[in-house]
Amino acid sequence: MSKPSYYKTCEDCPIFNYYKAAETGDLSWLVVEGNPSKKDLQSAWQQIEQGVVEELLLDKDYVSKLNEAKRKAIMKANAALFNRIADKHRIEVEETMDKDVKKSTLYDALISLEKWSGMVLDEKKISVKKYLTYVRKMKEEHGQKVTAKRHI
């Protein structure tokens, strides 16, 4: 009987499988063949997620969004702790504006990447790491707003 095979890192996991696992919570999207244990799949998922975080932290736009989320969390805490009416109003306005922002799908980002690179990208073959690197490079080179959406 052959040993189970499954994706273990963001270098070998296709972006399609990553998104399916992230969207559904079903780690069977990591399985190539066989029946790996739940523990092995959970360990692999943690390793893949760690790689994703490391890649995302190289993206200045992503880091900026993290800092913005931190600022909003502090403002919410201050509004609650000190009953600041102005902060509460500012939070309501920002949350209303955030609802209007359209979320990008994997396919929206792939199409933008394909237009930028002039290549057809196969989401079932391109690794998570390579996908995130393409997104980051496109942003750096052309300042385009492509969201490496992370269900995440």
Side-chain angles (χ1 to χ4, degrees), residues 10 45-55 150:
C10 69
W45 183 249
Q46 288 176 342
Q47 187 71 23
I48 291 167
E49 284 284 89
Q50 179 62 36
V52 167
V53 168
E54 289 170 7
E55 285 301 310
R150 192 172 184 257

Side-chain angles (χ1 to χ4, degrees), residues 10-11 15 51-52 54-56 58-59 113 116 121 126-141 148:
C10 69
E11 287 92 359
I15 192 67
V52 167
E54 289 170 7
E55 285 301 310
L56 288 173
L58 296 174
D59 183 336
L113 288 171
W116 169 73
L121 303 174
I126 187 172
S127 73
V128 173
K129 182 176 180 124
K130 195 169 193 176
Y131 166 81
L132 292 173
T133 301
Y134 274 136
V135 169
R136 187 178 73 251
K137 290 298 182 185
M138 187 176 83
K139 287 179 182 179
E140 288 171 2
E141 290 178 20

